[in-house]
Amino acid sequence: MLDMKYLRKNVTEVTQKLQDRGVSSEKLTELLNLDQERRDIIQKVENLKADRNTASDKIAYAKRNQEDASQAIMAMQRVSQEIKKLDAQQLELNDQVQNLAAHLPNLAAVDVPVGVDESANIEQRTWEPTDYQKRPHALLETPKWLEAHYDVGEKLGILDFERGAKVSGARFLYYVGDGARLERAVYNFMLDEHRKEGYTEMITPIVVNDTAMFGTGQYPKFQDDAYRVAGLAQTYIPTAEVPLTNYYSGETLPADELPIKFTALSPSFRKEAGAAGKDTRGLIRLHQFNKVEMVKFTKPEQSYAELESMTANAESILQKLELPYHVIMLSTGDMGFSAAKTYDIEVWMPQQSLYREISSVSNTEAFQARRMHITYRDEENKLQLVHTLNGSGLAVGRTVAAILENYQNEDGSVTIPEILRPYMGGQEKLIATPHH
């Protein structure tokens, strides 16, 4: 959530920055007008309360001197009724201001490219293994035997989309045999790597309350995209970012312990309501998927250095898996609601001959911390909001998809990346194996 004091003092700048995020100036004008009306009422109430206190003193004085205080009492009752009326108006305005403010996205950092969509994103760097061009599927002309990851997985008998749809509906699946083992190997490898980088591993709840979803910015704007628990104000998490970041909600953190770093594997649940018709096959856009998440709590002056560090942590996973990727900085029109700056890491998918998102790493600055009231005390012992960061480290199913496409062989087998083999009991290849 944005700082109302900052909005009032920097109307011209904020108007432009919100327009860069696709928000019309009328939204800010409406918010500021309601906020001013609310503040005027607060001032009126304070003045009336002062008048009531003065009248109360006069009534007490009159009674002590056995004077007639009936007129003063009636006047005070009228003032009390007016205060009650204004208090009700203030509560209504508070709700309106809160609702409008809750729908405003974060303001972009100064170096974020301005644009309406992904066409304004800027590539930062690319990476590929030194031997990548020697692999058969990396030739300039895509070999005819190269298949999409879902076809590879189904032929190997390790991905079962048909039975997933039978039991749960479209965009659910079973990992079978070596598929389940590979998925487990991938996320255990990721968690081990993040632990080496100083992240504390967590196992979080996968159901959170509405306050938690509001805290990280998913609610109220994106409530229709969430899987709700019927009859309860609870939601199945869309990412472990929600329970991890809310871990410290309402708390003041010791300054000397910042930055604090968490990582967690969790299932994630998304309706993908805005993605109808996209990636209807395969592991790219499922309703339920595993993801390893990274979250940081930092001092404001640390947060952008920590953003670069977190991005490097995600990149390191792909480098050790020897999967080609590039990093892009998202434009104002392509960033997530809570983000001030975002890097997307996209892995190369050779069958499609394009990069696909596998991680999104964001600095939300104080946007989430203001919603969750997470603070620390600065050197002058004053309370300040922390900055929060989050990133995928990585989306597990998409990593499996990238392995199946980048490591497939002409005979239909898939070579297991060397770094994962200890997690697979030394197994070097995935081959078609009957499981039932």
Side-chain angles (χ1 to χ4, degrees), residues 79-136:
V79 170
S80 294
Q81 288 297 318
E82 181 65 14
I83 289 172
K84 185 176 181 180
K85 176 183 174 183
L86 290 173
D87 281 342
Q89 292 179 16
Q90 182 192 332
L91 288 174
E92 185 177 344
L93 285 168
N94 283 345
D95 290 342
Q96 293 179 35
V97 167
Q98 175 80 359
N99 184 55
L100 282 173
H103 282 81
L104 292 181
N106 203 354
L107 305 181
V110 292
D111 59 339
V112 171
V114 176
V116 296
D117 55 28
E118 67 274 7
S119 63
N121 295 344
I122 298 177
E123 185 178 76
Q124 304 295 293
R125 55 191 170 273
T126 61
W127 186 91
E128 66 177 37
T130 53
D131 70 339
Y132 189 73
Q133 294 303 323
K134 296 178 182 178
R135 298 181 190 177

Side-chain angles (χ1 to χ4, degrees), residues 89-321:
Q89 292 179 16
Q90 182 192 332
L91 288 174
E92 185 177 344
L93 285 168
N94 283 345
D95 290 342
Q96 293 179 35
V97 167
Q98 175 80 359
N99 184 55
L100 282 173
H103 282 81
L104 292 181
N106 203 354
L107 305 181
V110 292
D111 59 339
V112 171
V114 176
V116 296
D117 55 28
E118 67 274 7
S119 63
N121 295 344
I122 298 177
E123 185 178 76
Q124 304 295 293
R125 55 191 170 273
T126 61
W127 186 91
E128 66 177 37
T130 53
D131 70 339
Y132 189 73
Q133 294 303 323
K134 296 178 182 178
R135 298 181 190 177
H137 50 268
L139 299 173
L140 292 178
E141 184 177 346
T142 303
K144 293 180 179 179
W145 54 262
L146 188 69
E147 294 185 297
H149 70 274
Y150 41 83
D151 288 328
V152 176
E154 287 180 330
K155 287 183 178 180
L156 290 175
I158 63 174
L159 302 178
D160 195 331
F161 296 97
E162 184 177 349
R163 289 186 174 92
K166 177 183 71 174
V167 173
S168 300
R171 301 192 186 188
F172 290 89
L173 84 153
Y174 287 92
Y175 286 87
V176 181
D178 283 346
R181 196 180 195 193
L182 177 61
E183 174 98 351
R184 178 160 51 88
V186 167
Y187 62 65
N188 282 332
F189 161 66
M190 292 175 180
L191 290 170
D192 286 349
E193 290 299 305
H194 294 320
R195 284 173 60 90
K196 292 175 187 175
E197 295 295 337
Y199 291 82
T200 299
E201 183 178 350
M202 310 278 275
I203 296 177
T204 74
I206 62 169
V207 174
V208 295
N209 58 35
D210 287 357
T211 301
M213 291 290 281
F214 175 83
T216 44
Q218 278 80 11
Y219 284 0
K221 189 173 177 64
F222 303 105
Q223 190 162 323
D224 289 344
D225 290 330
Y227 277 99
R228 302 277 289 165
V229 180
L232 298 173
Q234 292 178 317
T235 299
Y236 292 98
I237 60 172
T239 163
E241 170 200 344
V242 181
L244 286 178
T245 313
N246 276 278
Y247 185 76
Y248 286 126
S249 60
E251 298 186 32
T252 297
L253 307 181
D256 58 358
E257 293 185 12
L258 298 174
I260 294 170
K261 304 190 287 186
F262 290 153
T263 188
L265 164 77
S266 78
S268 301
F269 302 89
R270 299 183 188 179
K271 285 185 179 177
E272 296 286 2
K278 295 181 181 179
D279 300 308
T280 54
R281 296 191 66 188
L283 300 172
I284 300 299
R285 205 177 295 275
L286 296 170
H287 291 312
Q288 176 192 330
F289 57 93
N290 287 321
K291 184 155 73 78
V292 172
E293 188 73 9
M294 302 176 288
V295 161
K296 290 183 180 182
F297 306 84
T298 79
K299 297 176 182 177
E301 63 269 22
Q302 299 171 323
S303 66
Y304 278 97
E306 293 297 334
L307 175 65
E308 300 299 325
S309 172
M310 183 180 280
T311 305
N313 296 152
E315 289 182 67
S316 175
I317 300 295
L318 290 173
Q319 290 173 10
K320 291 180 178 180
L321 290 169

Side-chain angles (χ1 to χ4, degrees), residues 41-59 72 75-76 78-80 82-84 86-87:
I41 287 176
I42 291 172
Q43 187 59 55
K44 286 180 183 178
V45 169
E46 291 301 316
N47 292 338
L48 287 170
K49 284 181 178 179
D51 292 344
R52 186 173 62 182
N53 290 339
T54 300
S56 180
D57 290 340
K58 289 180 179 180
I59 291 169
M76 191 173 71
R78 287 194 294 270
V79 170
S80 294
E82 181 65 14
I83 289 172
K84 185 176 181 180
L86 290 173
D87 281 342

